Amino acid sequence: MSLAFDLHRWSRDWTAACRLDALEPLRGVAVLLPDGAQVALFRLADDRLKAIGNIDPIGRAAVLSRGIVGDRHGFPVVHSPLKKQAFSLIDGRCLDAEGISVPVYGTRIGLDGMVFVANSPQVRFAYRPAPIVADR
């Protein structure tokens, strides 16, 4: 059995954002993905990385990367700078408005300290969903 590493496929799944040492704890940065989607990338106080969609679904603006990072009941959240709703950095749901959420993106750190963000919410480290084949 051969396990060949497909660099082309990997580069389609992940976008280089910045170096880890360029991220300030508890501050966000916006990352533009190849398909035009925007991601808010955060470095938490314990050096974990979290990434969610940057578009605030209530205020309809790309501002979550500029939100205030904190926690609610021990879970990391970011508060929108527009109307101050809290969005979970774990599952993307809005804790102040039922039924509203933002997508959550995978993150990883390369051996050289480069931070990568998944190009789609469905991509996770070592997992990529099979393409959907339409029945004809």
Side-chain angles (χ1 to χ4, degrees):
M1 180 163 94
S2 169
L3 294 176
F5 180 74
D6 183 358
L7 181 61
H8 182 66
R9 178 177 170 180
W10 192 89
S11 64
R12 284 193 324 254
D13 289 344
W14 298 90
T15 295
C18 62
R19 294 189 47 80
L20 179 61
D21 55 12
L23 292 173
E24 292 184 38
L26 304 178
R27 297 280 179 137
V29 296
V31 179
L32 183 63
L33 299 181
D35 67 354
Q38 292 187 35
V39 173
L41 174 64
F42 299 95
R43 180 178 179 180
L44 302 182
D46 60 3
D47 285 337
R48 287 183 296 160
L49 296 175
K50 297 294 181 184
I52 60 173
N54 194 34
I55 307 293
D56 178 343
I58 296 170
R60 295 191 175 112
V63 295
L64 290 181
S65 63
R66 293 181 278 174
I68 298 170
V69 178
D71 72 77
R72 189 175 284 182
H73 306 295
F75 296 101
V77 297
V78 62
H79 293 270
S80 171
L82 295 179
K83 297 189 178 186
K84 309 302 184 248
Q85 289 89 0
F87 291 89
S88 169
L89 293 175
I90 296 185
D91 61 9
R93 66 189 167 96
C94 180
L95 303 179
D96 298 319
E98 193 172 323
I100 295 176
S101 65
V102 292
V104 177
Y105 292 82
T107 60
R108 62 181 302 176
I109 303 171
L111 293 175
D112 61 352
M114 182 61 70
V115 175
F116 293 89
V117 177
N119 287 341
S120 166
Q122 288 82 30
V123 174
R124 295 283 182 247
F125 179 65
Y127 171 77
R128 184 176 195 229
I132 299 172
V133 179
D135 292 332
R136 290 186 185 205

PDB file of all heavy atoms in Angstrom, residues 29-41 51-56 61-66 102-105 117-119 121:
ATOM      1  N   VAL A  29      -7.256  38.571  13.422  1.00  0.00           N
ATOM      2  CA  VAL A  29      -6.856  39.068  12.108  1.00  0.00           C
ATOM      3  C   VAL A  29      -7.808  38.472  11.076  1.00  0.00           C
ATOM      4  O   VAL A  29      -8.341  37.378  11.270  1.00  0.00           O
ATOM      5  CB  VAL A  29      -5.392  38.712  11.746  1.00  0.00           C
ATOM      6  CG1 VAL A  29      -4.418  39.370  12.691  1.00  0.00           C
ATOM      7  CG2 VAL A  29      -5.184  37.229  11.698  1.00  0.00           C
ATOM      8  N   ALA A  30      -8.022  39.186  10.016  1.00  0.00           N
ATOM      9  CA  ALA A  30      -8.870  38.693   8.931  1.00  0.00           C
ATOM     10  C   ALA A  30      -7.998  37.989   7.903  1.00  0.00           C
ATOM     11  O   ALA A  30      -6.907  38.452   7.583  1.00  0.00           O
ATOM     12  CB  ALA A  30      -9.628  39.847   8.290  1.00  0.00           C
ATOM     13  N   VAL A  31      -8.500  36.875   7.408  1.00  0.00           N
ATOM     14  CA  VAL A  31      -7.800  36.089   6.396  1.00  0.00           C
ATOM     15  C   VAL A  31      -8.736  35.942   5.201  1.00  0.00           C
ATOM     16  O   VAL A  31      -9.896  35.556   5.369  1.00  0.00           O
ATOM     17  CB  VAL A  31      -7.412  34.695   6.939  1.00  0.00           C
ATOM     18  CG1 VAL A  31      -6.719  33.873   5.876  1.00  0.00           C
ATOM     19  CG2 VAL A  31      -6.553  34.823   8.184  1.00  0.00           C
ATOM     20  N   LEU A  32      -8.239  36.257   4.026  1.00  0.00           N
ATOM     21  CA  LEU A  32      -9.018  36.116   2.800  1.00  0.00           C
ATOM     22  C   LEU A  32      -8.683  34.776   2.161  1.00  0.00           C
ATOM     23  O   LEU A  32      -7.518  34.485   1.872  1.00  0.00           O
ATOM     24  CB  LEU A  32      -8.711  37.259   1.835  1.00  0.00           C
ATOM     25  CG  LEU A  32      -9.502  37.271   0.530  1.00  0.00           C
ATOM     26  CD1 LEU A  32     -10.996  37.444   0.817  1.00  0.00           C
ATOM     27  CD2 LEU A  32      -8.999  38.380  -0.370  1.00  0.00           C
ATOM     28  N   LEU A  33      -9.693  33.948   1.948  1.00  0.00           N
ATOM     29  CA  LEU A  33      -9.499  32.637   1.340  1.00  0.00           C
ATOM     30  C   LEU A  33      -9.570  32.745  -0.186  1.00  0.00           C
ATOM     31  O   LEU A  33     -10.087  33.732  -0.718  1.00  0.00           O
ATOM     32  CB  LEU A  33     -10.557  31.660   1.863  1.00  0.00           C
ATOM     33  CG  LEU A  33     -10.533  31.429   3.372  1.00  0.00           C
ATOM     34  CD1 LEU A  33     -11.618  30.433   3.763  1.00  0.00           C
ATOM     35  CD2 LEU A  33      -9.174  30.951   3.834  1.00  0.00           C
ATOM     36  N   PRO A  34      -9.066  31.746  -0.900  1.00  0.00           N
ATOM     37  CA  PRO A  34      -9.054  31.816  -2.370  1.00  0.00           C
ATOM     38  C   PRO A  34     -10.426  32.004  -3.006  1.00  0.00           C
ATOM     39  O   PRO A  34     -10.538  32.612  -4.066  1.00  0.00           O
ATOM     40  CB  PRO A  34      -8.448  30.477  -2.790  1.00  0.00           C
ATOM     41  CG  PRO A  34      -7.639  30.038  -1.630  1.00  0.00           C
ATOM     42  CD  PRO A  34      -8.353  30.563  -0.416  1.00  0.00           C
ATOM     43  N   ASP A  35     -11.487  31.507  -2.360  1.00  0.00           N
ATOM     44  CA  ASP A  35     -12.823  31.654  -2.950  1.00  0.00           C
ATOM     45  C   ASP A  35     -13.486  32.984  -2.578  1.00  0.00           C
ATOM     46  O   ASP A  35     -14.631  33.224  -2.921  1.00  0.00           O
ATOM     47  CB  ASP A  35     -13.713  30.486  -2.548  1.00  0.00           C
ATOM     48  CG  ASP A  35     -14.044  30.460  -1.063  1.00  0.00           C
ATOM     49  OD1 ASP A  35     -13.487  31.287  -0.307  1.00  0.00           O
ATOM     50  OD2 ASP A  35     -14.850  29.609  -0.651  1.00  0.00           O
ATOM     51  N   GLY A  36     -12.764  33.854  -1.872  1.00  0.00           N
ATOM     52  CA  GLY A  36     -13.298  35.155  -1.494  1.00  0.00           C
ATOM     53  C   GLY A  36     -13.931  35.194  -0.118  1.00  0.00           C
ATOM     54  O   GLY A  36     -14.311  36.260   0.356  1.00  0.00           O
ATOM     55  N   ALA A  37     -14.065  34.053   0.541  1.00  0.00           N
ATOM     56  CA  ALA A  37     -14.614  34.024   1.897  1.00  0.00           C
ATOM     57  C   ALA A  37     -13.619  34.668   2.861  1.00  0.00           C
ATOM     58  O   ALA A  37     -12.408  34.632   2.636  1.00  0.00           O
ATOM     59  CB  ALA A  37     -14.899  32.585   2.322  1.00  0.00           C
ATOM     60  N   GLN A  38     -14.147  35.248   3.924  1.00  0.00           N
ATOM     61  CA  GLN A  38     -13.299  35.873   4.938  1.00  0.00           C
ATOM     62  C   GLN A  38     -13.390  35.088   6.234  1.00  0.00           C
ATOM     63  O   GLN A  38     -14.467  34.658   6.639  1.00  0.00           O
ATOM     64  CB  GLN A  38     -13.744  37.310   5.197  1.00  0.00           C
ATOM     65  CG  GLN A  38     -13.502  38.239   4.045  1.00  0.00           C
ATOM     66  CD  GLN A  38     -13.798  39.666   4.438  1.00  0.00           C
ATOM     67  OE1 GLN A  38     -13.561  40.082   5.568  1.00  0.00           O
ATOM     68  NE2 GLN A  38     -14.330  40.435   3.495  1.00  0.00           N
ATOM     69  N   VAL A  39     -12.240  34.929   6.880  1.00  0.00           N
ATOM     70  CA  VAL A  39     -12.154  34.193   8.137  1.00  0.00           C
ATOM     71  C   VAL A  39     -11.531  35.104   9.185  1.00  0.00           C
ATOM     72  O   VAL A  39     -10.603  35.857   8.897  1.00  0.00           O
ATOM     73  CB  VAL A  39     -11.290  32.923   7.952  1.00  0.00           C
ATOM     74  CG1 VAL A  39     -11.046  32.230   9.276  1.00  0.00           C
ATOM     75  CG2 VAL A  39     -11.946  31.972   6.965  1.00  0.00           C
ATOM     76  N   ALA A  40     -12.050  35.028  10.403  1.00  0.00           N
ATOM     77  CA  ALA A  40     -11.468  35.730  11.539  1.00  0.00           C
ATOM     78  C   ALA A  40     -10.624  34.720  12.311  1.00  0.00           C
ATOM     79  O   ALA A  40     -11.134  33.716  12.793  1.00  0.00           O
ATOM     80  CB  ALA A  40     -12.567  36.291  12.439  1.00  0.00           C
ATOM     81  N   LEU A  41      -9.318  34.971  12.381  1.00  0.00           N
ATOM     82  CA  LEU A  41      -8.369  34.063  13.023  1.00  0.00           C
ATOM     83  C   LEU A  41      -7.939  34.663  14.353  1.00  0.00           C
ATOM     84  O   LEU A  41      -7.558  35.831  14.412  1.00  0.00           O
ATOM     85  CB  LEU A  41      -7.156  33.859  12.107  1.00  0.00           C
ATOM     86  CG  LEU A  41      -5.986  33.060  12.646  1.00  0.00           C
ATOM     87  CD1 LEU A  41      -6.390  31.614  12.918  1.00  0.00           C
ATOM     88  CD2 LEU A  41      -4.834  33.108  11.644  1.00  0.00           C
ATOM     89  N   ALA A  51     -10.632  29.784  14.410  1.00  0.00           N
ATOM     90  CA  ALA A  51     -11.009  30.540  13.223  1.00  0.00           C
ATOM     91  C   ALA A  51     -12.496  30.359  12.958  1.00  0.00           C
ATOM     92  O   ALA A  51     -12.997  29.230  12.965  1.00  0.00           O
ATOM     93  CB  ALA A  51     -10.196  30.083  12.017  1.00  0.00           C
ATOM     94  N   ILE A  52     -13.181  31.467  12.744  1.00  0.00           N
ATOM     95  CA  ILE A  52     -14.604  31.456  12.407  1.00  0.00           C
ATOM     96  C   ILE A  52     -14.812  32.404  11.229  1.00  0.00           C
ATOM     97  O   ILE A  52     -13.928  33.188  10.881  1.00  0.00           O
ATOM     98  CB  ILE A  52     -15.486  31.891  13.598  1.00  0.00           C
ATOM     99  CG1 ILE A  52     -15.142  33.310  14.051  1.00  0.00           C
ATOM    100  CG2 ILE A  52     -15.368  30.901  14.752  1.00  0.00           C
ATOM    101  CD1 ILE A  52     -16.087  33.870  15.105  1.00  0.00           C
ATOM    102  N   GLY A  53     -15.984  32.338  10.626  1.00  0.00           N
ATOM    103  CA  GLY A  53     -16.302  33.269   9.556  1.00  0.00           C
ATOM    104  C   GLY A  53     -16.236  34.698  10.062  1.00  0.00           C
ATOM    105  O   GLY A  53     -16.630  34.981  11.200  1.00  0.00           O
ATOM    106  N   ASN A  54     -15.746  35.601   9.243  1.00  0.00           N
ATOM    107  CA  ASN A  54     -15.550  36.987   9.656  1.00  0.00           C
ATOM    108  C   ASN A  54     -16.808  37.839   9.520  1.00  0.00           C
ATOM    109  O   ASN A  54     -16.883  38.922  10.078  1.00  0.00           O
ATOM    110  CB  ASN A  54     -14.405  37.615   8.847  1.00  0.00           C
ATOM    111  CG  ASN A  54     -13.927  38.921   9.432  1.00  0.00           C
ATOM    112  OD1 ASN A  54     -13.924  39.116  10.641  1.00  0.00           O
ATOM    113  ND2 ASN A  54     -13.518  39.829   8.571  1.00  0.00           N
ATOM    114  N   ILE A  55     -17.803  37.363   8.788  1.00  0.00           N
ATOM    115  CA  ILE A  55     -19.017  38.147   8.552  1.00  0.00           C
ATOM    116  C   ILE A  55     -19.967  37.997   9.737  1.00  0.00           C
ATOM    117  O   ILE A  55     -20.389  36.893  10.070  1.00  0.00           O
ATOM    118  CB  ILE A  55     -19.732  37.691   7.260  1.00  0.00           C
ATOM    119  CG1 ILE A  55     -18.780  37.693   6.071  1.00  0.00           C
ATOM    120  CG2 ILE A  55     -20.976  38.550   6.996  1.00  0.00           C
ATOM    121  CD1 ILE A  55     -18.292  39.032   5.644  1.00  0.00           C
ATOM    122  N   ASP A  56     -20.297  39.106  10.369  1.00  0.00           N
ATOM    123  CA  ASP A  56     -21.286  39.122  11.449  1.00  0.00           C
ATOM    124  C   ASP A  56     -22.663  38.935  10.802  1.00  0.00           C
ATOM    125  O   ASP A  56     -23.106  39.785  10.036  1.00  0.00           O
ATOM    126  CB  ASP A  56     -21.217  40.452  12.189  1.00  0.00           C
ATOM    127  CG  ASP A  56     -22.230  40.587  13.308  1.00  0.00           C
ATOM    128  OD1 ASP A  56     -23.209  39.812  13.346  1.00  0.00           O
ATOM    129  OD2 ASP A  56     -22.048  41.477  14.146  1.00  0.00           O
ATOM    130  N   ALA A  61     -21.691  42.639   8.391  1.00  0.00           N
ATOM    131  CA  ALA A  61     -20.434  43.306   8.048  1.00  0.00           C
ATOM    132  C   ALA A  61     -19.277  42.390   8.426  1.00  0.00           C
ATOM    133  O   ALA A  61     -19.397  41.542   9.313  1.00  0.00           O
ATOM    134  CB  ALA A  61     -20.320  44.634   8.788  1.00  0.00           C
ATOM    135  N   ALA A  62     -18.158  42.552   7.735  1.00  0.00           N
ATOM    136  CA  ALA A  62     -16.964  41.734   7.985  1.00  0.00           C
ATOM    137  C   ALA A  62     -16.164  42.345   9.134  1.00  0.00           C
ATOM    138  O   ALA A  62     -15.173  43.030   8.916  1.00  0.00           O
ATOM    139  CB  ALA A  62     -16.127  41.635   6.718  1.00  0.00           C
ATOM    140  N   VAL A  63     -16.591  42.074  10.373  1.00  0.00           N
ATOM    141  CA  VAL A  63     -15.996  42.746  11.520  1.00  0.00           C
ATOM    142  C   VAL A  63     -15.605  41.825  12.677  1.00  0.00           C
ATOM    143  O   VAL A  63     -15.026  42.290  13.658  1.00  0.00           O
ATOM    144  CB  VAL A  63     -16.946  43.834  12.078  1.00  0.00           C
ATOM    145  CG1 VAL A  63     -17.157  44.944  11.065  1.00  0.00           C
ATOM    146  CG2 VAL A  63     -18.266  43.226  12.507  1.00  0.00           C
ATOM    147  N   LEU A  64     -15.918  40.543  12.618  1.00  0.00           N
ATOM    148  CA  LEU A  64     -15.672  39.692  13.786  1.00  0.00           C
ATOM    149  C   LEU A  64     -14.194  39.597  14.143  1.00  0.00           C
ATOM    150  O   LEU A  64     -13.859  39.410  15.314  1.00  0.00           O
ATOM    151  CB  LEU A  64     -16.271  38.301  13.567  1.00  0.00           C
ATOM    152  CG  LEU A  64     -17.798  38.250  13.585  1.00  0.00           C
ATOM    153  CD1 LEU A  64     -18.289  36.833  13.392  1.00  0.00           C
ATOM    154  CD2 LEU A  64     -18.351  38.839  14.868  1.00  0.00           C
ATOM    155  N   SER A  65     -13.305  39.772  13.172  1.00  0.00           N
ATOM    156  CA  SER A  65     -11.871  39.732  13.481  1.00  0.00           C
ATOM    157  C   SER A  65     -11.460  40.905  14.373  1.00  0.00           C
ATOM    158  O   SER A  65     -10.426  40.860  15.021  1.00  0.00           O
ATOM    159  CB  SER A  65     -11.039  39.746  12.197  1.00  0.00           C
ATOM    160  OG  SER A  65     -11.250  40.943  11.481  1.00  0.00           O
ATOM    161  N   ARG A  66     -12.279  41.953  14.435  1.00  0.00           N
ATOM    162  CA  ARG A  66     -11.990  43.111  15.284  1.00  0.00           C
ATOM    163  C   ARG A  66     -12.766  43.081  16.600  1.00  0.00           C
ATOM    164  O   ARG A  66     -12.784  44.063  17.332  1.00  0.00           O
ATOM    165  CB  ARG A  66     -12.297  44.389  14.522  1.00  0.00           C
ATOM    166  CG  ARG A  66     -11.336  44.577  13.362  1.00  0.00           C
ATOM    167  CD  ARG A  66     -11.617  45.835  12.630  1.00  0.00           C
ATOM    168  NE  ARG A  66     -12.711  45.582  11.692  1.00  0.00           N
ATOM    169  CZ  ARG A  66     -13.306  46.498  10.962  1.00  0.00           C
ATOM    170  NH1 ARG A  66     -12.938  47.733  11.064  1.00  0.00           N
ATOM    171  NH2 ARG A  66     -14.268  46.177  10.138  1.00  0.00           N
ATOM    172  N   VAL A 102     -21.998  31.236  12.775  1.00  0.00           N
ATOM    173  CA  VAL A 102     -21.008  31.508  11.739  1.00  0.00           C
ATOM    174  C   VAL A 102     -20.227  30.213  11.517  1.00  0.00           C
ATOM    175  O   VAL A 102     -20.145  29.371  12.417  1.00  0.00           O
ATOM    176  CB  VAL A 102     -20.050  32.656  12.135  1.00  0.00           C
ATOM    177  CG1 VAL A 102     -20.789  33.980  12.192  1.00  0.00           C
ATOM    178  CG2 VAL A 102     -19.356  32.379  13.446  1.00  0.00           C
ATOM    179  N   PRO A 103     -19.657  30.023  10.333  1.00  0.00           N
ATOM    180  CA  PRO A 103     -18.891  28.796  10.093  1.00  0.00           C
ATOM    181  C   PRO A 103     -17.598  28.759  10.907  1.00  0.00           C
ATOM    182  O   PRO A 103     -17.023  29.800  11.225  1.00  0.00           O
ATOM    183  CB  PRO A 103     -18.597  28.840   8.593  1.00  0.00           C
ATOM    184  CG  PRO A 103     -18.774  30.255   8.190  1.00  0.00           C
ATOM    185  CD  PRO A 103     -19.738  30.874   9.149  1.00  0.00           C
ATOM    186  N   VAL A 104     -17.159  27.554  11.226  1.00  0.00           N
ATOM    187  CA  VAL A 104     -15.918  27.334  11.971  1.00  0.00           C
ATOM    188  C   VAL A 104     -14.920  26.685  11.021  1.00  0.00           C
ATOM    189  O   VAL A 104     -15.256  25.740  10.304  1.00  0.00           O
ATOM    190  CB  VAL A 104     -16.159  26.422  13.194  1.00  0.00           C
ATOM    191  CG1 VAL A 104     -14.860  26.130  13.912  1.00  0.00           C
ATOM    192  CG2 VAL A 104     -17.159  27.060  14.138  1.00  0.00           C
ATOM    193  N   TYR A 105     -13.706  27.190  11.013  1.00  0.00           N
ATOM    194  CA  TYR A 105     -12.659  26.710  10.108  1.00  0.00           C
ATOM    195  C   TYR A 105     -11.544  26.035  10.908  1.00  0.00           C
ATOM    196  O   TYR A 105     -11.211  26.481  12.007  1.00  0.00           O
ATOM    197  CB  TYR A 105     -12.073  27.873   9.309  1.00  0.00           C
ATOM    198  CG  TYR A 105     -13.038  28.470   8.317  1.00  0.00           C
ATOM    199  CD1 TYR A 105     -13.994  29.397   8.721  1.00  0.00           C
ATOM    200  CD2 TYR A 105     -13.009  28.102   6.977  1.00  0.00           C
ATOM    201  CE1 TYR A 105     -14.890  29.937   7.818  1.00  0.00           C
ATOM    202  CE2 TYR A 105     -13.899  28.647   6.068  1.00  0.00           C
ATOM    203  CZ  TYR A 105     -14.836  29.559   6.497  1.00  0.00           C
ATOM    204  OH  TYR A 105     -15.722  30.086   5.592  1.00  0.00           O
ATOM    205  N   VAL A 117      -5.110  28.139   7.531  1.00  0.00           N
ATOM    206  CA  VAL A 117      -6.550  28.091   7.765  1.00  0.00           C
ATOM    207  C   VAL A 117      -7.165  27.248   6.658  1.00  0.00           C
ATOM    208  O   VAL A 117      -6.792  27.379   5.484  1.00  0.00           O
ATOM    209  CB  VAL A 117      -7.163  29.510   7.754  1.00  0.00           C
ATOM    210  CG1 VAL A 117      -8.667  29.447   7.928  1.00  0.00           C
ATOM    211  CG2 VAL A 117      -6.537  30.372   8.832  1.00  0.00           C
ATOM    212  N   ALA A 118      -8.102  26.385   7.039  1.00  0.00           N
ATOM    213  CA  ALA A 118      -8.789  25.544   6.054  1.00  0.00           C
ATOM    214  C   ALA A 118      -9.561  26.427   5.075  1.00  0.00           C
ATOM    215  O   ALA A 118     -10.136  27.443   5.461  1.00  0.00           O
ATOM    216  CB  ALA A 118      -9.725  24.576   6.750  1.00  0.00           C
ATOM    217  N   ASN A 119      -9.580  26.028   3.820  1.00  0.00           N
ATOM    218  CA  ASN A 119     -10.285  26.796   2.793  1.00  0.00           C
ATOM    219  C   ASN A 119     -11.795  26.602   2.837  1.00  0.00           C
ATOM    220  O   ASN A 119     -12.524  27.291   2.137  1.00  0.00           O
ATOM    221  CB  ASN A 119      -9.772  26.430   1.409  1.00  0.00           C
ATOM    222  CG  ASN A 119      -8.400  26.996   1.146  1.00  0.00           C
ATOM    223  OD1 ASN A 119      -7.965  27.923   1.812  1.00  0.00           O
ATOM    224  ND2 ASN A 119      -7.707  26.438   0.181  1.00  0.00           N
ATOM    225  N   PRO A 121     -15.172  25.199   5.686  1.00  0.00           N
ATOM    226  CA  PRO A 121     -15.502  24.696   7.020  1.00  0.00           C
ATOM    227  C   PRO A 121     -15.523  23.165   7.092  1.00  0.00           C
ATOM    228  O   PRO A 121     -15.391  22.599   8.160  1.00  0.00           O
ATOM    229  CB  PRO A 121     -16.896  25.263   7.292  1.00  0.00           C
ATOM    230  CG  PRO A 121     -17.056  26.394   6.364  1.00  0.00           C
ATOM    231  CD  PRO A 121     -16.207  26.082   5.163  1.00  0.00           C
TER     232      PRO A 121
END
